[in-house]
Amino acid sequence: MDDLTTSLAQNLTISLSPADLQAAFSNDNNDDDDLGRAPPRMGFNTKPKLCQFILSRRNVTASVPLEIRPSGCSTGSGLFIARGEQDGIEAGREIYRSKPLMLAFDGAGDDGWCHFCGGYFEGYFGGEKGGVRVCSGCGVGRFCSKECQKLAWNRFHKEECKVLKSTPGIKPQSLLAHRLVWFQQKGYITTEQGAMIQGLEAHFDEYTREDGGKTTEVYDVAMAIRDVTGEGREKKIDVGLIWKLVPQLWTNCVRLRGSSSRETVAFALELVTAMINHSCEPNAFAFLEKGEIRVRSLRKIAAGEEITICYIDPTVDVKSRREILMDEHFFECDCARCKDEIETQKRRVAADGETSMATVRQAQISMLDLIKSAAVTACKYPGVYPDFANLTVVESKMNTIMKNAFPNFGWGDDLDPVPMVRLCLSVLYLEQGKPAPALRNGLRGYFARRGGRTGPNAVNILVDIIHVLIAASCLPPDSPVLKDVSFPLRVDISNVMYWYLYKACKEAGEVFGGDCEYTKAIGNLFAKMMAGLPAGASRPPEEDFMEELEGSLRRVVEWAGVWVYEGA
């Protein structure tokens, strides 16, 4: 520890005492009295050389200079576009990309990801898996090649395999806490990284408070880590240290989605991204691509402006967002979007005259439970829950909930969580081979959600609609759906599908970047579709096509019953 103290004092000029550094990573600290105290915390913005180290690491590539300064969103530090950058950064630009210190995948939806290199090896748009190697020991670890499997085994999976086998449902954040201890024991954690991790926000007091805290869960994870580290009691990591470490990992691990997914696929400990604060209406977003965290702008970010991302799924309703943020990050978001959505609900409650905010909230919970049952329970237990598997019944129940909540005013397709529920119904109907109700629900959900919002979720939703349009345009001539005279003509469906595919190509390039595999996959599909058109046929965005599209789009959305319509 003397070497650690000397190194930090000489190279970083930070005012940490030897006792503070001892607490960062030490096998010798056995003071059980520390168990009930929050660990000491540094303010990164007050340590210029530490901030410089965070931003200048070899595995961080930034397109504009960045700064760590006091946040305007929280009491801690934040990540900013440097004040000296006259033009800031435009919308749809990469701010930076970085290689995480550690990356662990969420077992709920990570089948297509390599657990070592972080690459995605399952084709988009229904491509076949290739080269998947599943660990025979734990049955959880997945690797894209024999080489990645071997490298993972030597670096961390040899130890993790036993944990995953005994606790296959372990949280990725908790798995990373295990890995961090192993990395320290193997000498993978530098002195600078150790000091930085020690200074991360832990919300220690909130996690361990008597009323509503998670003391038991934190302690159980800490003891589990201690039990699998070292050999012999004298070599085991002090549980008091791990007791402080676990909340730090839970608080600062970044949720990551893949470009083609709206769900979390992995959690990462990455020190630059850990500096970014939350907003439900962020100016940037982070996603996982080829083992890297990529952070891109959603709108123009001025020089000197703080970068924000949404810590959770931004498509959920405001009450759910606030509940999740309070449970996981111990704050209630009060951004402009949250305020606006609460006020919208209050106005509609007042206009109806026979409902209340409490009634609306209960209706939201009921709808979310209903769609979750249809999407998860019915699929997991086929034939056991016929009402949840029958989507017509599910949709009828949803309409009843909406009517009971707003007996006079009517719920409206644009009030959360209805847009998200309709989009989920669209996917579920398509999985059942029913493109007509899939198209109706998909279009109603898509147009109700738009509201000028752009970003990764908008692209993903558009791609879902494209899948439905392709299925509807390929219906066989004897399909019962086509006997319905009100159903849109095949040419109208095809026109809308071509337009949305062109639109998805353009928006994916702007949102994810042209080098993103998802963008390339959408572009390849568009090129394939265009190549199949007859010679001389108009294509988007040619003028003749756009003139024909206007009528096709109007007829399709009118058939779908869309009442929140903002054009193409």
Side-chain angles (χ1 to χ4, degrees), residues 35-64:
L35 228 60
R37 297 205 306 269
R41 182 168 186 268
M42 308 176 286
F44 284 108
N45 55 276
T46 65
K47 312 296 180 183
K49 291 196 174 182
L50 187 56
C51 293
Q52 183 181 2
F53 171 77
I54 294 173
L55 297 174
S56 63
R57 285 162 41 243
R58 290 191 304 272
N59 60 348
V60 178
T61 304
S63 62
V64 292

Side-chain angles (χ1 to χ4, degrees), residues 191 196 210 253 259 262 351 377 404 423-424 489 552 565:
T191 54
M196 290 161 55
E210 292 183 9
C253 284
S259 52
R262 290 192 292 276
T377 306
N404 290 341
L423 290 165
C424 288
L489 297 175
S552 293
Y565 177 52

Side-chain angles (χ1 to χ4, degrees), residues 65-72 77-82 304-307:
L66 304 172
E67 295 176 340
I68 297 172
R69 304 208 313 265
S71 173
S77 303
L79 188 66
F80 292 75
I81 303 294
E305 184 177 354
E306 183 170 3
I307 300 167

Side-chain angles (χ1 to χ4, degrees), residues 97-120:
R97 63 177 64 182
S98 63
K99 191 77 174 178
L101 178 63
M102 298 187 301
L103 182 68
F105 286 86
D106 189 344
D110 70 337
D111 287 357
W113 297 86
C114 177
H115 290 197
F116 180 74
C117 71
Y120 191 59

Side-chain angles (χ1 to χ4, degrees), residues 8 176 315:
L8 288 173
L176 288 180
T315 66

